[in-house]
């Protein structure tokens, strides 16, 4: 930098070097001005950009991700466009050269623009896990975000800055659209989905750094359903590998809690019949949420009801040994595992869950060790870890 100092005031005498200055004033130095280039871009079903210019020649285009890694190179002339295969967002910067001279560069920004995020899954757990990252995307990118989930009523009251629409809705005037889900497709997600924390599936697709965020579910409490103090249990789930397959587990745990003076309520739809446990006559979502709200805490499995309870701010005791300890939430929860036996198959990239196989156990199916991950967890293990929650 060249500095001229007059009367103790410093003046920067350096020549301007930015591209706009060069394009505007370079003719005064006797050189040809750089051609003017305009770019129209969208990030819908992948990033695409169209080049517009009055110049007749070709331009060399480089596209980088947020880590400054070149992910695509091509040549474009006026009216041509290119589109990237990856559907997820990982930050985009492009550079355009004419005869090895940089004529335009931009790091794309969604600031002030409209972005549409859709959820591919209708699962309660998936939906609750992913919603807070729509809000995080909105805040970090300073943009308008429209979200489509199958359970919008849970979030409209707690995420007022997000616009919720029904699945299948047509959303106009958007610059970007992202679908969040498990696709097992490297063009739609950068990591094998079952090998990472469930919430990271959303951050990977939306281009956010991963950190666990507590979901906030909107609920207006109704009358307390039971006058005595009670604990909710959720004994059922959508696959055999998720169940607490210790034949005496629930029975012994319930007996212990009842002796401590608690009423036990099973909030699972068509919940297992356990001696001394109340089941819900009205298992609608609204009533289930009200029962959860007034409970002391919830003991469940890796299931949507555990995610629901967590999103409502309840402490959740989760019995899950077939997933790794960080796959579900860790905030405001107690995790029951036994790493001395086979465990974590759900997150092993060598295996893919077969939802059509109720008895899916990829390493020990058909043997005495089938479901040992949960059979090995005893009621005593659970009781020892919940002592601080009992009043």
């Amino acid at each position: 930098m060249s500095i001229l100092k007059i009367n103790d005031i410093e003046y920067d005498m350096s020549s301007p070097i930015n591209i706009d200055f060069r394009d505007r004033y370079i003719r005064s130095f006797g050189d040809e001005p750089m051609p003017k280039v305009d770019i129209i871009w969208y990030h819908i079903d992948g990033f695409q950009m169209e080049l517009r210019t009055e110049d007749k020649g070709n331009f060399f285009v480089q596209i980088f991700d947020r880590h400054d890694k070149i992910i695509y190179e091509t040549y474009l002339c006026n009216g041509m466009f290119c589109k990237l295969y990856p559907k997820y967002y990982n930050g985009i910067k492009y550079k355009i050269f004419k005869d090895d001279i940089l004529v335009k560069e931009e790091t794309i920004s969604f600031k002030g623009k409209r972005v549409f995020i859709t959820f591919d899954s209708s699962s309660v757990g998936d939906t609750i896990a992913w919603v807070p990252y729509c809000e995080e995307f909105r805040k970090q990118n300073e943009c308008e975000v429209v979200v489509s989930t199958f359970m919008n009523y849970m979030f409209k009251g707690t995420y007022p800055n997000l616009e919720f629409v029904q699945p299948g809705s047509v959303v106009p005037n958007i610059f970007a659209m992202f679908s969040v889900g498990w696709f097992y497709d490297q063009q739609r997600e950068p990591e094998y989905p079952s090998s990472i924390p469930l919430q990271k599936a959303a951050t990977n697709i939306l281009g956010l750094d991963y950190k666990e965020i507590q979901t906030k579910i909107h609920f207006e409490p109704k009358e307390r359903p039971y006058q005595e103090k009670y604990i909710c249990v959720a004994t059922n789930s959508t696959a055999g590998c998720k169940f607490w397959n210790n034949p005496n587990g629930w029975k012994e745990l319930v007996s212990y809690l009842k002796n401590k003076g608690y009423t036990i309520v099973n909030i699972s739809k068509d919940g297992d019949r356990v001696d001394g446990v109340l089941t819900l006559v009205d298992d609608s979502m609204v009533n289930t949420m009200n029962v959860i709200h007034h409970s002391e805490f919830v003991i469940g499995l890796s299931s949507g009801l555990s995610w629901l309870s967590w999103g409502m701010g309840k402490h959740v005791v989760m019995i899950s040994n077939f997933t790794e300890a960080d796959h579900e939430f860790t905030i405001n929860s107690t995790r029951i595992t036994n790493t001395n036996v086979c465990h974590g198959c759900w997150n092993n990239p060598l295996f893919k869950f077969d939802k059509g196989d109720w008895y899916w156990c990829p390493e020990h199916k058909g043997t005495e060790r089938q479901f040992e991950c949960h059979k090995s967890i005893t009621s005593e293990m659970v009781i020892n870890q919940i002592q601080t929650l009992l009043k």
Side-chain angles (χ1 to χ4, degrees):
M1 179 181 294
S2 177
I3 301 295
L4 176 63
K5 190 171 184 179
I6 301 176
N7 295 330
D8 294 327
I9 299 176
E10 294 185 346
Y11 297 90
D12 181 4
M13 302 302 291
S14 302
S15 299
I17 58 173
N18 66 69
I19 294 174
D20 289 340
F21 181 90
R22 183 186 64 191
D23 290 348
R24 184 176 301 176
Y25 298 112
I26 199 170
R27 191 181 298 272
S28 65
F29 296 101
D31 297 323
E32 289 297 319
M34 290 295 101
K36 180 176 174 56
V37 174
D38 291 320
I39 296 296
I40 298 174
W41 62 264
Y42 298 94
H43 206 306
I44 299 174
D45 198 33
F47 175 74
Q48 68 178 55
M49 57 184 290
E50 178 184 348
L51 186 146
R52 294 185 180 180
T53 179
E54 294 182 358
D55 189 274
K56 304 300 182 182
N58 287 325
F59 293 81
F60 180 57
V61 177
Q62 290 182 318
I63 301 178
F64 304 78
D65 65 15
R66 61 176 173 159
H67 304 294
D68 284 329
K69 176 185 176 182
I70 295 177
I71 54 178
Y72 188 68
E73 295 179 325
T74 190
Y75 284 92
L76 298 178
C77 61
N78 179 46
M80 293 182 66
F81 74 93
C82 62
K83 185 170 186 176
L84 305 188
Y85 283 116
K87 307 296 188 292
Y88 57 88
Y89 179 60
N90 195 22
I92 293 289
K93 178 174 72 175
Y94 63 78
K95 293 183 179 182
I96 300 175
F97 299 85
K98 179 63 186 268
D99 299 328
D100 295 326
I101 299 174
L102 179 65
V103 297
K104 188 177 182 66
E105 66 177 309
E106 178 187 11
T107 298
I108 72 166
S109 170
F110 299 120
K111 185 174 182 178
K113 294 180 169 61
R114 193 166 162 85
V115 177
F116 186 25
I117 301 173
T118 68
F119 285 10
D120 181 71
S121 172
S122 60
S123 162
V124 173
D126 294 346
T127 305
I128 293 170
W130 296 335
V131 160
Y133 299 100
C134 299
E135 173 66 3
E136 191 69 12
F137 185 93
R138 182 196 69 81
K139 291 191 295 186
Q140 289 193 21
N141 291 281
E142 301 180 70
C143 60
E144 298 179 33
V145 173
V146 184
V147 185
S148 169
T149 84
F150 291 85
M151 300 165 193
N152 293 342
Y153 66 92
M154 288 188 182
F155 313 109
K156 286 183 177 180
T158 46
Y159 296 95
N161 293 314
L162 299 176
E163 178 184 343
F164 289 92
V165 300
Q166 292 300 314
S169 298
V170 176
V171 178
N173 305 319
I174 58 174
F175 274 76
M177 178 175 176
F178 304 105
S179 182
V180 178
W182 279 21
F183 304 107
Y184 295 96
D185 181 348
Q186 288 187 333
Q187 302 304 336
R188 304 187 74 177
E189 59 208 342
E191 292 184 272
Y192 195 73
S194 61
S195 68
I196 57 177
L198 180 56
Q199 290 192 314
K200 193 178 181 187
T203 61
N204 276 349
I205 291 169
L206 298 177
L208 302 170
D209 291 328
Y210 173 66
K211 63 178 179 179
E212 181 178 334
I213 299 178
Q214 171 81 58
T215 307
K216 299 176 182 178
I217 291 177
H218 174 71
F219 178 69
E220 296 180 2
K222 310 296 189 297
E223 183 179 350
R224 184 179 175 88
Y226 311 100
Q227 294 308 307
E228 62 272 24
K229 62 181 181 179
Y230 67 93
I231 295 169
C232 289
V233 298
T235 62
N236 286 19
S237 193
T238 54
C241 64
K242 298 183 178 184
F243 277 58
W244 185 11
N245 289 296
N246 184 314
N248 298 314
W250 286 115
K251 179 181 177 181
E252 293 173 352
L253 176 61
V254 166
S255 177
Y256 175 84
L257 293 174
K258 286 180 66 67
N259 286 334
K260 287 287 186 180
Y262 292 93
T263 294
I264 309 301
V265 182
N266 193 345
I267 56 174
S268 289
K269 190 180 288 288
D270 300 322
D272 290 346
R273 295 291 177 179
V274 181
D275 288 344
V277 175
L278 302 179
T279 56
L280 298 182
V281 176
D282 177 5
D283 59 9
S284 65
M285 182 62 78
V286 171
N287 186 60
T288 300
M289 291 172 73
N290 192 53
V291 173
I292 291 170
H293 172 79
H294 290 285
S295 69
E296 301 297 313
F297 59 92
V298 177
I299 305 174
L301 312 171
S302 177
S303 71
L305 285 173
S306 290
W307 281 94
L308 176 66
S309 304
W310 178 73
M312 294 178 65
K314 282 295 170 182
H315 190 94
V316 176
V317 178
M318 182 183 293
I319 302 168
S320 184
N321 206 27
F322 79 109
T323 55
E324 296 291 353
D326 65 347
H327 180 70
E328 296 88 0
F329 49 84
T330 63
I331 298 170
N332 197 26
S333 69
T334 299
R335 177 101 178 195
I336 314 295
T337 63
N338 180 7
T339 58
N340 293 319
V341 298
C342 182
H343 66 284
C345 61
W346 182 268
N347 300 114
N348 189 331
L350 296 177
F351 308 129
K352 182 179 179 181
F353 174 63
D354 180 0
K355 62 182 179 181
D357 181 4
W358 181 262
Y359 299 99
W360 183 80
C361 178
E363 296 201 71
H364 303 299
K365 182 180 178 180
T367 74
E368 291 183 355
R369 296 183 64 186
Q370 181 167 339
F371 298 148
E372 75 172 11
C373 56
H374 290 159
K375 287 179 182 177
S376 68
I377 293 177
T378 66
S379 58
E380 184 179 11
M381 291 178 181
V382 180
I383 291 167
N384 287 341
Q385 291 204 52
I386 66 174
Q387 290 302 309
T388 58
L389 301 175
L390 302 178
K391 300 175 183 178

